[in-house]
Amino acid sequence: LFFLQESMHAYAANVYTSVVEELMKGKQRKFIAVEQEFFRLWWDTVATDVHKQQVHQLLQEGRLEFVIGGQVMHDEAVTLIDDQILQLTEGHGFLYETFGVRPQFSWHVDPFGASATTPTLFALAGFNAHLISRIDYDLKADMQKNKKLQFVWRGSPSLSESQEIFTHVMDQYSYCTPSQIPFSNRSGFYWNGFAVFPDPPKDGVYPNMSLPVTDANIDLYAQAMVENIKQRAAWFQTSDVLWPWGCDKQFFNASVQYSNMDLLLHYINEHSDKFGVTVQYATVSDYFQAVYNRNLAWEIRDSQDFFPYSTEPFQAWTGFYTSRSTLKGIARRASSLLHAAESFFTQYVRKQPAGSVCKCHALKQLQSLRWAVSEVQHHDGITGTESPKVKDMYVDHLMYGMFNVKKLMASIIFDMDNAEKNGEVYSYVYSKDSGKLGTTDVDQYVIVYNPLAWNITTFVVVSVSHPSVSVYDELGRSVPAQVQGSAKSHFTYDLYILVSISGLSYRKYNIKLSLGKQSAFIGRSVKYKRRDVTRGYPKRQCLLPVANNCYEVVFDQNTNLMQSITERETNQTVQLTQEFLEYRVNGDVNKGPISDNYLFAPNASAVPVSKAVGLEVIFGNLVTEIRQYFYSNVTAQEYIYAMYTRMYTLPEGYDGKLLCRRLEQEYSAGPLEQNREAILRTSTNLNTGQLLYTDSNGYQIQKRPFRAYVNNVVARNYYPMVQTAYIEDDSTRLVLLAERAHGISSQGNGQVEVMLHRRLWNNQEWDLNNNLTLDDTSVVHPVFWLILGNKSVTNELYRPSGLALGHRPVVVFGALAGDKPKQTRQRQQNPVPRSPVTVPPNLHLQTLSIPGWKYSSNHTEHIRAVHGGKQKQADADFSRVLLRITHLYEVGEDPVLSQPVVVNLKSLLKGLGSVVSVEERSLTGTWDVSTLKRWKWKTAQYPSKGFYNNTESSEIYTVTVHPKEIRTFFVYFQDQ
């Protein structure tokens, strides 16, 4: 479950070195390898030329097989589909470029629960079968008993049969060989013993090595193995049994392992009449090929997923949905920056082929962030289930990658502006996350890039040190802005700049000290008396309404808490209150179930934490901000929680539908006391029947009815929210959008609660040995957007809004030296940049990047190059652009937005140049879709096994994108 960086590198190196050497010693031996991050580290830094030649040979012989083939085995609960695709593409690109191999089977044995997005992801990547293991213990027992551990899974309701995939759930022994056998108290079938790294024993004798196979004990070993095989066989429909030989941290001493396995397999086959079984080394594809050849009819499973996951009545693995919230936030921020930088760099390469920014160096910076964002998707990464040391490694890699990519974007802006020769040359462009603007007479610039392929109207916030500032655009026109005292610091001001930017474009805003002539509105602060919320107040209500054009939010001045929200268009009012509560949990294993990085085990209902609430409202022409501070009592000096709610109003002439229709909330939670889990509970008068809807990896929505379990009912009704969740009644829906993953639940009618933060310590030996207590003393600042309205309005808004929150504009700061000649007035002819790429509102430009792969997209040519050793010398390819377009809506979700969309790729991309050819590819780019023949498994609806045929569009440049499709293309442009 966990891995420690320093020992893991040494351990992984040992595995690959010893396994490759051992495979060469016996033609019958086989091995599967999964995560590319470790394999690539070995390949690049440890493997000799002989090892490399042997790997090529073993792959050709089918004795070494890569399964999944992503950088990591990604978590399925708290990851975004974009990042799953990224890490899969990252691994597949390396494997295909280096070896010409394309994984076609999954091995998702360790993520904590299984998402319905994953089967779709793997089907789109060209896989023939999917394999999972960790699902709820009582559900697995039931499926095992009824021989239903294998089925054809239609993960997406809209894509249905076209992207279904055969799925195998591992039985109760999961992905490990039994470690207990009747005649020995050592490690069962693991002759390696226990892995000790980074300093392995000099004599090669590891702790707890199992007894070697000898004439005296071979029959006992064989009986134990056969008995387990037969026990497992009874749970499956075919007589082929997948018997995984290995587990966490095995095969680091492969010679001991293989020599004992050889003897045992040979002995069983010699006595197959007596034992009733034959055994052979196999890969995952050997197993699935055998099952496929049986041509049985399989049951179809719909888009229901396998969350939450419990291993015992009081072990609900729902804590990790929130663990290490800061890491979850940084991982998503890095992913968002990478998405922006990829399209930015692609445009630069297309439009400035002779630009001064070194393309090879730029690609290296992007690759470093791709690697960091990929690796943190690991099922012990973004989940928060690693030790602090490993968490720090992830954060370091992400921050380093972000710093360099931001610097790259700044250099590109600098170069593009100088190329325009417009008389103004930046003295520098810098990439810090905040500019202390307004401190000097130097002209300060804010350069804002919109990474979405739609026009956006939104606010960017920058820190200034003086309230008297004016903001101007490229043409010297005044830009609406508002300045107000910062909630975070007494010494700075927040400057809100209203930006309107077309898709994939950037704008420049000049910020000047305006002594005398004031241009930015100044927000007016009103502070209200702190209120004791535990006191009974007289019946007379004292209400404070705060409104913009879309909502009126009413606060009760007796408590300083929100009381209701009215949606102004329909004049519909929803009673709505919000409060912070904490679950208090046990940390002593001797006293009952514990919460830890993985598990959530509350021992009672959540309790309110604050007895007093302070209120301050900043009233402004553009932004109204309601600041609520939650104190442990009326006289406490420091607040324990804070909530900042922002409402936006736009001047005439701006399209601000998305902006007006959202209530932005930012929370401050922490540092918590030990063994506390912090939630924000929103209670409404909507009659929801405790039915909650949550997203699955930002891709589709899952229905989450409340289930009345016998035990642990609170924790087992928690679900992962990656981007979206909502509750609704017949007429009204309340949508929550998030910029990082959280645990979420509906514990009462009309209620939704989000877990924001956890701080835990326990005395469980395993947790202590691996430093897996979650003593997280940080303060977290998650952001949510709330949308309230009827179903048709919210349907139209929540998908683009979720993307707008996840892909907020990238802000870079620049400055002009004071002595430079100013030529602003002559710049009237320089128009505001047009959008190079714009997609319709129901599509999303998921990827626009230059991957840099060196392989030929003609498979036959590429294989010839691999076998001839030619692909090693090639330079990165900057001519191939990777394009992914996704349809945001489900079939039947909206009368207009759910329609298929016809896209002409030539005209879509004309802003980048003249398209000369387009190739449609599988999700990760390694297959030409016209040559991809995935296995079609027999079901009641499909009477015989066969292959899926991809329907080709007759016009190569025109594609029809159907609901929920993700279409992937290689695009080539005419050289400039």
Side-chain angles (χ1 to χ4, degrees):
L1 293 178
F2 57 91
F3 65 96
L4 300 166
Q5 187 192 4
E6 65 279 19
S7 66
M8 206 57 185
H9 286 175
Y11 157 73
N14 254 45
V15 171
Y16 286 115
T17 301
S18 71
V19 164
V20 167
E21 289 168 359
E22 287 307 309
L23 288 174
M24 296 306 291
K25 293 178 187 171
K27 280 283 183 210
Q28 76 286 10
R29 294 174 171 182
K30 295 190 177 183
F31 191 79
I32 62 163
V34 180
E35 295 179 306
Q36 288 312 298
E37 171 139 349
F38 290 121
F39 179 80
R40 289 172 77 170
L41 288 168
W42 174 78
W43 183 259
D44 291 339
T45 58
V46 178
T48 63
D49 286 348
V50 172
H51 287 138
K52 290 183 175 184
Q53 182 270 317
Q54 290 170 337
V55 169
H56 277 280
Q57 183 187 331
L58 290 165
L59 287 166
Q60 277 172 280
E61 293 172 2
R63 298 200 294 114
L64 173 63
E65 178 172 275
F66 289 112
V67 287
I68 310 179
Q71 277 294 91
V72 294
M73 187 189 299
H74 68 255
D75 167 68
E76 297 193 35
V78 298
T79 49
L80 202 54
I81 188 168
D82 306 55
D83 300 330
Q84 298 175 355
I85 294 170
L86 171 78
Q87 74 83 21
L88 202 58
T89 303
E90 186 64 22
H92 283 192
F94 163 77
L95 284 176
Y96 190 56
E97 183 171 275
T98 314
F99 307 111
V101 300
R102 304 179 278 202
Q104 287 197 275
F105 300 94
S106 98
W107 182 260
H108 251 232
V109 296
D110 214 14
F112 322 130
S115 159
T117 302
T118 316
T120 304
L121 179 85
F122 289 148
L124 289 167
F127 285 20
N128 291 320
H130 176 37
L131 185 148
I132 62 176
S133 181
R134 290 181 180 270
I135 66 169
D136 213 71
Y137 70 102
D138 43 11
L139 178 60
K140 182 179 274 198
D142 187 60
M143 292 167 78
Q144 209 166 259
K145 191 175 79 194
N146 296 307
K147 293 194 178 190
K148 290 186 188 286
L149 290 168
Q150 293 168 317
F151 46 85
V152 170
W153 197 355
R154 292 185 176 166
S156 160
S158 293
L159 300 177
S160 185
E161 187 190 349
S162 68
Q163 301 303 337
E164 68 189 14
I165 193 167
F166 180 80
T167 303
H168 171 104
V169 183
M170 291 201 137
D171 59 48
Q172 69 189 42
Y173 290 100
S174 192
Y175 57 94
C176 298
T177 332
S179 54
Q180 267 81 44
I181 45 179
F183 58 92
S184 162
N185 60 357
R186 299 208 196 160
S187 301
F189 295 94
Y190 305 127
W191 293 280
N192 289 303
F194 185 77
V196 185
F197 289 95
D199 301 308
K202 301 272 185 289
D203 57 3
V205 178
Y206 288 83
N208 214 30
M209 292 172 80
S210 277
L211 301 165
V213 173
T214 62
D215 289 348
N217 65 19
I218 193 163
D219 197 63
L220 293 170
Y221 267 120
Q223 281 176 37
M225 182 169 173
V226 167
E227 193 180 319
N228 185 263
I229 289 169
K230 287 181 172 174
Q231 182 188 9
R232 286 173 154 182
W235 299 326
F236 292 94
Q237 292 190 39
T238 77
S239 53
D240 316 288
V241 178
L242 186 157
W243 207 73
W245 211 324
C247 197
D248 293 348
K249 292 195 170 182
Q250 290 298 323
F251 284 92
F252 53 86
N253 189 356
S255 67
V256 179
Q257 197 61 28
Y258 274 112
S259 55
N260 285 285
M261 288 157 74
D262 284 350
L263 293 169
L264 188 48
L265 297 188
H266 180 71
Y267 182 83
I268 291 173
N269 287 337
E270 288 272 275
H271 301 86
S272 60
D273 292 352
K274 166 184 159 185
F275 290 122
V277 303
T278 58
V279 284
Q280 68 179 68
Y281 285 108
T283 60
V284 179
S285 68
D286 293 335
Y287 171 70
F288 281 123
Q289 185 75 62
V291 176
Y292 180 66
N293 289 346
R294 301 272 179 197
N295 201 20
L296 297 185
W298 300 98
E299 278 190 12
I300 293 169
R301 181 181 178 87
D302 65 11
S303 59
Q304 193 50 49
D305 64 10
F306 292 95
F307 287 118
Y309 162 59
S310 289
T311 37
E312 287 175 25
F314 287 98
Q315 288 192 347
W317 295 52
T318 56
F320 80 91
Y321 301 158
T322 306
S323 296
R324 300 205 192 285
S325 177
T326 303
L327 173 65
K328 286 175 165 65
I330 292 170
R332 283 276 279 278
R333 242 182 34 235
S335 156
S336 174
L337 178 64
L338 176 64
H339 172 264
E342 295 279 16
S343 64
F344 199 60
F345 177 64
T346 303
Q347 292 183 69
Y348 178 68
V349 170
R350 292 295 327 131
K351 292 173 176 172
Q352 307 278 349
S356 69
V357 173
C358 168
K359 294 180 184 58
C360 291
H361 178 67
L363 186 61
K364 280 201 172 65
Q365 307 291 23
L366 289 168
Q367 283 167 337
S368 147
L369 189 53
R370 288 174 194 167
W371 185 292
V373 174
S374 294
E375 91 182 346
V376 79
Q377 308 309 318
H378 188 279
H379 58 274
D380 277 310
I382 195 166
T383 49
T385 53
E386 65 284 272
S387 70
K389 208 186 250 183
V390 177
K391 179 262 296 176
D392 292 343
M393 173 200 80
Y394 284 128
V395 170
D396 288 350
H397 290 180
L398 290 164
M399 297 304 275
Y400 175 78
M402 287 164 79
F403 174 78
N404 284 323
V405 160
K406 204 86 186 274
K407 217 157 77 175
L408 167 66
M409 291 180 79
S411 330
I412 288 176
I413 291 166
F414 188 67
D415 189 54
M416 299 221 308
D417 261 67
N418 289 346
E420 283 174 21
K421 300 279 186 296
N422 53 33
E424 286 190 7
V425 177
Y426 288 132
S427 53
Y428 58 94
V429 174
Y430 52 99
S431 57
K432 293 207 299 284
D433 271 349
S434 70
K436 266 296 183 60
L437 303 174
T439 45
T440 61
D441 61 351
V442 171
D443 260 10
Q444 304 273 1
Y445 278 85
V446 177
I447 299 110
V448 185
Y449 177 63
N450 168 20
L452 292 167
W454 312 309
N455 299 348
I456 61 160
T457 301
T458 190
F459 283 96
V460 295
V461 187
V462 295
S463 223
V464 293
S465 48
H466 200 282
S468 299
V469 289
S470 314
V471 182
Y472 302 96
D473 69 7
E474 302 89 337
L475 304 180
R477 297 175 301 200
S478 179
V479 174
Q482 180 174 318
V483 70
Q484 59 200 43
S486 168
K488 311 267 168 63
S489 149
H490 295 307
F491 308 107
T492 59
Y493 297 86
D494 291 336
L495 173 64
Y496 285 80
I497 305 171
L498 181 59
V499 300
S500 202
I501 312 176
S502 47
L504 302 194
S505 303
Y506 69 91
R507 300 272 314 261
K508 287 176 301 203
Y509 299 92
N510 183 199
I511 299 174
K512 296 182 175 182
L513 276 176
S514 56
L515 303 166
K517 57 178 203 309
Q518 165 60 41
S519 113
F521 300 116
I522 293 190
R524 185 172 56 85
S525 161
V526 179
K527 288 194 168 91
Y528 297 86
K529 193 177 166 203
R530 192 187 297 187
R531 293 295 188 175
D532 180 344
V533 291
T534 58
R535 256 185 60 199
Y537 281 96
K539 283 279 183 282
R540 192 177 59 80
Q541 281 189 311
C542 189
L543 301 179
L544 170 70
V546 182
N548 68 359
N549 295 334
C550 297
Y551 299 114
E552 180 180 74
V553 182
V554 174
F555 290 84
D556 179 350
Q557 285 186 274
N558 286 330
T559 60
N560 287 339
L561 293 173
M562 194 183 289
Q563 193 212 49
S564 68
I565 302 179
T566 300
E567 201 269 308
R568 295 180 68 175
E569 197 178 342
T570 57
N571 206 23
Q572 194 158 22
T573 299
V574 172
Q575 301 302 313
L576 189 147
T577 58
Q578 293 182 301
E579 62 176 335
F580 293 103
L581 301 97
E582 287 174 357
Y583 286 102
R584 311 218 158 151
V585 294
N586 168 43
D588 184 351
V589 287
N590 303 309
K591 291 186 178 164
I594 53 151
S595 273
D596 65 10
N597 299 50
Y598 308 94
L599 309 176
F600 173 39
N603 48 18
S605 300
V607 293
V609 281
S610 69
K611 294 195 166 69
V613 181
L615 178 67
E616 178 187 6
V617 181
I618 313 287
F619 293 96
N621 299 28
L622 301 173
V623 185
T624 297
E625 182 176 59
I626 301 106
R627 299 173 179 174
Q628 290 165 288
Y629 300 98
F630 296 77
Y631 299 88
S632 52
N633 59 57
V634 177
T635 55
Q637 292 295 302
E638 301 287 324
Y639 60 83
I640 45 176
Y641 291 90
M643 184 187 303
Y644 309 103
T645 303
R646 300 178 194 108
M647 301 169 71
Y648 300 105
T649 306
L650 288 158
E652 285 294 306
Y654 282 87
D655 169 26
K657 187 162 82 170
L658 286 186
L659 197 53
C660 178
R661 288 303 303 244
R662 68 179 180 242
L663 291 173
E664 179 171 299
Q665 292 198 321
E666 181 183 343
Y667 313 120
S668 170
L672 303 178
E673 288 177 44
Q674 243 176 22
N675 290 329
R676 298 282 194 271
E677 316 215 16
I679 64 163
L680 174 79
R681 183 176 288 163
T682 302
S683 305
T684 70
N685 63 342
L686 298 177
N687 184 19
T688 63
Q690 272 183 281
L691 178 59
L692 173 68
Y693 295 83
T694 69
D695 71 321
S696 175
N697 311 107
Y699 178 66
Q700 60 193 33
I701 296 291
Q702 290 278 355
K703 206 171 181 174
R704 308 294 192 189
F706 188 86
R707 299 188 195 284
Y709 296 100
V710 178
N711 296 309
N712 215 14
V713 70
V714 170
R716 289 183 83 175
N717 277 287
Y718 255 78
Y719 293 94
M721 166 195 189
V722 178
Q723 188 182 58
T724 309
Y726 59 83
I727 55 172
E728 63 184 20
D729 63 12
D730 294 340
S731 61
T732 308
R733 179 184 287 169
L734 173 68
V735 182
L736 277 61
L737 300 169
E739 38 71 85
R740 70 186 75 175
H742 297 272
I744 191 164
S745 185
S746 177
Q747 298 283 338
N749 188 24
Q751 267 184 14
V752 58
E753 63 180 57
V754 181
M755 192 178 286
L756 301 176
H757 200 13
R758 322 176 71 216
R759 183 183 175 191
L760 308 165
W761 187 89
N762 69 70
N763 58 2
Q764 190 180 33
E765 195 180 353
W766 192 85
D767 280 344
L768 292 175
N769 288 346
N770 297 295
N771 198 1
L772 272 178
T773 56
L774 191 67
D775 198 13
D776 182 348
T777 56
S778 64
V779 181
V780 297
H781 300 281
V783 173
F784 278 75
W785 289 357
L786 275 57
I787 301 173
L788 184 73
N790 63 39
K791 290 179 193 179
S792 67
V793 167
T794 53
N795 253 351
E796 188 188 334
L797 291 172
Y798 83 81
R799 292 182 192 275
S801 296
L803 285 164
L805 174 57
H807 296 286
R808 283 169 288 188
V810 177
V811 177
V812 177
F813 299 97
L816 274 175
D819 55 358
K820 285 275 188 299
K822 296 256 189 330
Q823 298 183 354
T824 334
R825 290 289 157 252
Q826 284 110 57
R827 296 193 57 210
Q828 299 299 333
Q829 76 283 7
N830 236 28
V832 170
R834 306 292 313 200
S835 170
V837 183
T838 307
V839 296
N842 47 358
L843 297 188
H844 167 47
L845 190 72
Q846 197 168 20
T847 310
L848 180 69
S849 74
I850 293 179
W853 299 313
K854 303 166 191 177
Y855 62 76
S856 161
S857 56
N858 177 310
H859 184 63
T860 315
E861 268 176 35
H862 176 53
I863 292 301
R864 204 177 297 134
V866 169
H867 293 164
K870 288 199 189 71
Q871 93 294 1
K872 295 189 188 89
Q873 292 92 41
D875 289 328
D877 178 2
F878 290 96
S879 68
R880 174 190 297 153
V881 170
L882 175 67
L883 170 74
R884 278 194 199 95
I885 298 174
T886 180
H887 196 303
L888 295 173
Y889 289 82
E890 297 281 359
V891 168
E893 187 178 357
D894 183 275
V896 177
L897 296 166
S898 292
Q899 295 303 317
V901 184
V902 178
V903 180
N904 181 305
L905 297 177
K906 236 181 156 121
S907 58
L908 176 73
L909 301 171
K910 68 176 186 288
L912 299 178
S914 174
V915 174
V916 290
S917 75
V918 172
E919 300 164 3
E920 181 152 23
R921 307 292 291 188
S922 60
L923 184 69
T924 59
T926 53
W927 292 89
D928 175 334
V929 291
S930 62
T931 64
L932 175 59
K933 299 272 183 276
R934 283 199 318 119
W935 296 353
K936 193 161 181 57
W937 295 69
K938 184 172 163 181
T939 60
Q941 292 176 16
Y942 190 82
S944 170
K945 67 184 175 67
F947 298 96
Y948 291 92
N949 285 319
N950 285 290
T951 48
E952 284 293 283
S953 66
S954 51
E955 209 326 315
I956 180 65
Y957 297 116
T958 303
V959 292
T960 302
V961 188
H962 293 273
K964 294 318 288 180
E965 280 188 337
I966 301 172
R967 304 285 288 275
T968 304
F969 304 93
F970 287 168
V971 182
Y972 301 90
F973 292 86
Q974 195 172 337
D975 283 344
Q976 291 183 344

